Amino acid sequence: DEYPDKTPFAAIKYLTGECNYGGRVTDDKDRRCLSTLLEDYYNPSIFDDAYAFSPSGTYYAPEDGEYPDYIEYIRGLPLNPEPEVFGLHANADITKDQNETNLLFSSILSTQSNTKSADGKTPEEIVRDVCRDIAQRMPEPFNVDTVSFKYPITYEESMNTVLVQELTRYNQLIRIVKSSLSDLQKAIKGLILMSPSLEALSKSLFDGRIPELWAAKSYPSLKPLGSYVTDLLERLRFFQDWIDRGPPAVFWISGFFFTQSFLTGALQNYARKHKIAIDEIEFDFQVGYSEPTSKPDDGVFVKGLFIEGAKWNNVKKTLDESDPKVLFVKCPTIWMRPCVSSRLSVFPHYNCPVYKTSARRGILSTTGHSTNFVMWVRLPSEAPDTHWIKRGVALLTQLDD
């Protein structure tokens, strides 16, 4: 009654997206997606007969009619909807099928009993060989005292603190991996009792999954066991090179255990150098650098991110539609340049979330962010922000394989 001349779409959208349904959505990225989808339905164009909810025109608001007319319209819709109805790229079908297949195989694996392998080895022999292989490849923990002496805590260089903190976290993981593998080998030989935790470790190693005992001390990862160990060793080599040769010109952002500490360190260096309060600065982004050979005067060069849901156009230097059947592409090197918030560069962009894994979910921390969420990155784009939101475009620090 308060709006006799027009439909209050903004109020309806707010009630649905922020109150009635959105009030149950705790993640701000999910609420952003929800509001963007509702925009396609709660807008004045809905009264236009030519307006459609998808590019193909298959989905639209039917004309005013009787109950049988609506039933007939619903029956005419595709039995298996295409991704376009949700604003997704056709590649989303591949992702959906992969997720369903992984769930199926995971369920089958959970019901499988321990049997001999094709080459006649017993489960105990297989697990013992896996233990030996991982234990031989796993290095000793870092000598944090030596590193702290070489890279002392200074006012001008916060990255020294970041390095020591990272090594401390990885040392905890290295120790739990090495000690658990040693105990499991002893338990297999009958030298010590096979405890429930060791039995769970043995089952995980046999199935090729990350043991819960390790995951409790580990960074988030959805990789299978073999890829996880390879990834862990690569991370340790990254930090060993840092110790031996000094801070790299380009930081491998995927290698950090706690990425936020690295980002804070970069901001802190700039704030102390220019004597600006750290809460007055934020990152500006320049994407598309070839591999730099020297560090920038301010900020950091980072690599190791992957784009999901889109690709990078090296000619236009903007986001572009994904190629068919290509789910992920490497993101070019990014210069994260701190500057005063009021002086951020202005350009058409998509505010892209960065996640540690493709699960895009985690536990809400005291900062209000998910433990899987890292930061927002502004990526140049010719398409409107809403286009990439519906595409589900995000940056990932690691893949699942």
Side-chain angles (χ1 to χ4, degrees), residues 48-83:
D48 187 353
D49 292 340
Y51 181 75
F53 301 127
S54 63
S56 67
T58 304
Y59 301 90
Y60 57 89
E63 296 181 2
D64 188 21
E66 300 297 328
Y67 176 77
D69 299 327
Y70 299 131
I71 296 299
E72 188 63 27
Y73 165 75
I74 295 172
R75 286 174 176 168
L77 295 175
L79 185 61
N80 297 310
E82 296 291 331

Side-chain angles (χ1 to χ4, degrees), residues 2 18 45 69 77 94 108 146 156 170 174 178 181 184 196 233 240 251 284 289 293 303 351 368 373:
E2 296 180 13
E18 300 291 340
S45 299
D69 299 327
L77 295 175
I94 302 176
I108 293 175
T146 302
E156 295 78 14
Y170 275 110
I174 293 172
K178 294 178 75 71
L181 290 176
L184 181 57
L233 294 175
Q240 189 61 56
F251 288 93
D284 206 354
Y289 281 84
T293 56
K303 65 178 180 179
N351 213 24
F373 174 76

Side-chain angles (χ1 to χ4, degrees), residues 145-206:
D145 292 336
T146 302
V147 175
S148 299
F149 181 79
K150 185 176 182 180
Y151 297 97
I153 297 175
T154 62
Y155 183 81
E156 295 78 14
E157 185 52 82
S158 297
M159 287 302 169
N160 292 352
T161 304
V162 173
L163 174 61
V164 172
Q165 290 176 346
E166 286 292 305
L167 298 185
T168 302
R169 295 186 184 98
Y170 275 110
N171 277 353
Q172 293 177 348
L173 178 57
I174 293 172
R175 291 190 181 100
I176 193 66
V177 169
K178 294 178 75 71
S179 63
S180 62
L181 290 176
S182 175
D183 290 345
L184 181 57
Q185 292 183 77
K186 292 177 182 178
I188 292 175
K189 294 178 181 178
L191 301 178
I192 62 174
L193 181 67
M194 179 71 79
S195 64
S197 60
L198 290 179
E199 190 172 352
L201 171 65
S202 175
K203 181 69 166 61
S204 297
L205 296 180
F206 182 77

Side-chain angles (χ1 to χ4, degrees), residues 11-74:
I12 296 174
K13 178 184 170 185
Y14 182 83
L15 284 173
T16 307
E18 300 291 340
C19 300
N20 296 349
Y21 184 74
R24 298 178 177 86
V25 181
T26 57
D27 188 86
D28 59 328
K29 275 72 67 180
D30 290 340
R31 279 202 306 274
R32 183 181 73 155
C33 180
L34 174 61
S35 297
T36 302
L37 292 173
L38 289 175
E39 189 68 40
D40 289 341
Y41 300 89
Y42 294 158
N43 69 80
S45 299
I46 193 73
F47 299 120
D48 187 353
D49 292 340
Y51 181 75
F53 301 127
S54 63
S56 67
T58 304
Y59 301 90
Y60 57 89
E63 296 181 2
D64 188 21
E66 300 297 328
Y67 176 77
D69 299 327
Y70 299 131
I71 296 299
E72 188 63 27
Y73 165 75
I74 295 172

